[in-house]
């Protein structure tokens, strides 16, 4: 299973991911029901990540894309933003837990008024983030420099780090919400389209 995850065809990799997810989910769920401490912790984390927060207003065109936004999708979105922050050459020590919680809350509060494409991007953040990481790993130095510049520009445009701090975000809800369709038109959405066209 582990070998197929890294060396198999896209279909084989997906099958291995699905099988692995099912095996571990069942193991942690059953272990939690039996009162095994570590299994209870892991099952609690799985349940939290699966908790649904909202539905994207627009249905995805790809059959294997999701319309539901979960806690896990928000986690992946934040992980992706942090990856882009570091890849853009910004100081990782500038990112604190308070910063992350602040932006997380801004995203959640802004979900109802977000552009439908941005909602879909967040709903499928685990896939998009994986695609961006794969592109980064496969990129030559010059390509990584170009990606880093795109990451920095996108972060600034979204209001994250425009004043050199990860927490300097003006992405609140309502009409002033700045994380709108532009996120779908930049690096993350382009990566999503690249991923979807190759799978």
């Amino acid at each position: 299973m582990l070998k197929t995850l890294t060396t198999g065809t896209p279909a084989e990799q997906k099958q291995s991911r699905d099988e692995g997810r099912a095996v571990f989910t069942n193991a942690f769920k059953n272990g939690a029901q039996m009162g095994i401490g570590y299994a209870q912790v892991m099952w609690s984390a799985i349940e939290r990540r699966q908790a649904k927060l909202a539905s994207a207003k627009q249905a995805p065109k790809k059959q294997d894309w999701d319309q539901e936004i979960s806690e896990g999708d928000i986690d992946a979105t934040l992980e992706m933003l942090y990856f882009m922050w570091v890849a853009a050459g910004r100081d990782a020590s500038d990112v604190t837990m308070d910063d992350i919680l602040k932006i997380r809350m801004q995203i959640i509060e802004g979900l109802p008024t977000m552009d439908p494409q941005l909602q879909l991007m967040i709903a499928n953040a685990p896939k998009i983030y994986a695609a961006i990481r794969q592109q980064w790993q496969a990129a030559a130095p010059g390509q990584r420099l170009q990606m880093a510049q795109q990451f920095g520009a996108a972060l600034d445009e979204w209001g994250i780090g425009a004043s050199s701090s990860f927490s300097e975000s003006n992405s609140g809800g309502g009409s002033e919400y700045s994380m709108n369709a532009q996120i779908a038109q930049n690096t993350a959405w382009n990566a999503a389209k690249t991923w979807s066209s190759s799978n």
Side-chain angles (χ1 to χ4, degrees), residues 67-198:
Q67 192 171 357
E68 301 298 317
I69 299 172
S70 68
E71 288 277 4
D73 296 330
I74 302 295
D75 290 345
T77 299
L78 290 165
E79 290 169 13
M80 179 173 64
L81 291 173
Y82 179 71
F83 172 79
M84 294 170 68
W85 176 274
V86 175
R90 302 185 181 187
D91 192 347
S93 65
D94 285 344
V95 183
T96 68
M97 184 54 66
D98 286 343
D99 297 335
I100 293 171
L101 292 175
K102 173 185 175 182
I103 292 182
R104 180 189 188 88
M105 187 55 62
Q106 290 172 340
I107 292 173
I108 292 173
E109 290 176 350
L111 282 174
T113 59
M114 281 182 185
D115 178 89
Q117 282 192 319
L118 175 54
Q119 291 175 337
L120 276 180
M121 190 283 294
I122 293 176
N124 295 277
K127 297 181 181 72
I128 296 171
Y129 180 39
I132 290 176
R133 291 292 297 263
Q134 289 172 0
Q135 289 176 353
W136 179 263
Q137 292 296 330
Q143 293 172 316
R144 284 194 178 186
L145 178 60
Q146 184 179 11
M147 290 179 71
Q149 293 171 342
Q150 291 174 334
F151 290 160
L155 290 170
D156 287 343
E157 191 168 359
W158 304 336
I160 300 175
S163 301
S164 75
S165 172
F166 192 86
S167 64
E168 290 296 322
S169 172
N170 60 352
S171 51
S175 61
E176 297 180 357
Y177 190 74
S178 66
M179 288 182 64
N180 52 30
Q182 293 172 347
I183 194 173
Q185 297 166 0
N186 283 288
T187 309
W189 191 249
N190 289 334
K193 289 190 293 186
T194 299
W195 183 89
S196 63
S197 64
S198 60

